[in-house]
Amino acid sequence: AEPMLAGFLYSTVLAHRTIDESLAFILANKLHCKVLPAKLLTQLFHECFTSEELREIRAGFLADLQATYERDPACKKYSQCFLYFKGFHAIQTHRVAHHFWMQGRHALAVMLQSRSSEAFDTDIHPAAKIGKGIMLDHATGLVVGETSVVGDGCSILHSVTLGGSGKTGGDRHPKIGRDVVIGAGALILGNVRVGDGSKVGAGSVVVKEVPPMHVAVGVPAKNMPINKNRHIHPEAPPNKSAPPPPPKAPPLASQWTPGLTFKVGSWLGIRSAEEQRSGPKPVKALP
């Protein structure tokens, strides 16, 4: 443990009984300003995360946390993503903003978008529809337009634009399928679809449809089918002597069930000195 972070870890994790409370506190303290106090934002986020009518928001942030942990080699613990990864924080802010947009509370939704843009350097329109299990890697410079749709399980790197092509109104932004990977600096412009399981190369400019299970690369991008049996360098066989990556923790699905009792700090791998001596003291989590 790092002694210099004792106060930080207590205030962000150990002082809270559930992961919902902890995430609400973290987001509020990153987004607050002089005219929008952290206490008010904490209450706003917590209500969204714990409402029975808004289970999709909680399911979304748990799936995003799991996705980032599994897909990002730099993420060694759940707590790294939960506490420090601004891409994760940006997408959770968007989920709440999107909820208010769909309720017709556009001013509040746009305010959250604005604060998220300033704090995380991501600009996601609150009307954009984004699925679960999303990984925003680095996230800096991400732009997602108003009528964009992003399917479940997508991985999006920094400086990506899901933008329009000059159309003044209507449905004018990309539709991204499930399990799509979009490389750094890629531009996908107009109401075009990127099919399930496809990949867009870094720096590519996509202005036409990408079929499922294809790679789009170049300016403008050209589509090539994905050949799962082909290595990046066909003449070089895989390095069988390379050691396997170290195992990660069990998936969240095996640790999170309705009515489960746990201490959120222990679940994230963060325990107080008292818990380390005597073991965690379970408390009932919100269902």
Side-chain angles (χ1 to χ4, degrees):
E2 173 53 62
M4 292 256 330
L5 296 180
F8 167 74
L9 294 175
Y10 180 82
S11 62
T12 55
V13 176
L14 297 174
H16 305 284
R17 292 172 60 85
T18 68
I19 194 170
D20 312 280
E21 289 181 11
S22 182
L23 182 58
F25 179 87
I26 290 168
L27 294 180
N29 280 274
K30 288 182 177 291
L31 297 173
H32 77 98
C33 59
K34 291 182 179 179
V35 295
L36 198 62
K39 185 176 181 179
L40 181 63
L41 284 174
T42 300
Q43 181 180 357
L44 181 75
F45 283 117
H46 188 253
E47 289 175 356
C48 289
F49 294 151
T50 58
S51 170
E52 285 296 316
E53 299 175 357
L54 303 177
R55 288 185 175 182
E56 283 298 304
I57 294 181
R58 173 193 270 178
F61 85 67
L62 289 173
D64 297 340
L65 184 61
Q66 182 71 50
T68 304
Y69 178 77
E70 289 181 346
R71 294 185 218 146
D72 187 349
C75 184
K76 308 302 183 186
K77 299 178 180 179
Y78 288 120
S79 58
Q80 285 182 309
C81 172
F82 188 76
L83 293 172
Y84 308 122
F85 286 13
K86 68 176 184 176
F88 174 76
H89 298 149
I91 200 70
Q92 308 326 315
T93 303
H94 168 75
R95 295 192 187 284
V96 174
H98 180 70
H99 161 67
F100 288 120
W101 181 272
M102 297 305 294
Q103 278 195 330
R105 300 173 69 179
H106 291 178
L108 178 56
V110 173
M111 183 278 299
L112 289 173
Q113 174 202 6
S114 175
R115 291 296 304 134
S116 179
S117 178
E118 294 175 32
F120 308 129
D121 197 18
T122 60
D123 199 349
I124 308 173
H125 195 284
K129 298 177 182 178
I130 297 181
K132 298 187 289 292
I134 305 299
M135 181 187 74
L136 299 184
D137 194 6
H138 301 294
T140 300
L142 173 69
V143 176
V144 180
E146 177 183 10
T147 58
S148 297
V149 177
V150 178
D152 295 344
C154 290
S155 299
I156 303 175
L157 278 77
H158 52 284
S159 300
V160 166
T161 296
L162 306 182
S165 59
K167 187 178 178 181
T168 56
D171 195 353
R172 60 196 185 279
H173 294 103
K175 309 296 178 285
I176 310 300
R178 296 169 59 95
D179 304 315
V180 172
V181 178
I182 305 178
L187 307 179
I188 306 176
L189 305 176
N191 187 11
V192 297
R193 178 167 179 80
V194 179
D196 295 352
S198 291
K199 300 180 180 181
V200 178
S204 299
V205 179
V206 176
V207 293
K208 63 180 182 180
E209 181 175 350
V210 179
M213 297 304 295
H214 276 64
V215 177
V217 291
V219 181
K222 295 182 179 180
N223 299 327
M224 298 179 293
I226 294 175
N227 185 349
K228 290 185 177 181
N229 296 322
R230 181 180 177 184
H231 301 296
I232 296 176
H233 301 289
E235 69 280 2
N239 182 6
K240 295 183 179 180
S241 63
K248 288 192 171 185
L252 291 182
S254 67
Q255 303 182 54
W256 180 279
T257 55
L260 181 70
T261 59
F262 68 96
K263 187 74 173 177
V264 62
S266 299
W267 185 69
L268 289 170
I270 300 170
R271 296 194 297 164
S272 66
E274 179 184 356
E275 288 175 325
Q276 292 179 34
R277 289 192 299 268
S278 60
K281 298 178 181 179
V283 295
K284 188 172 182 179
L286 293 173

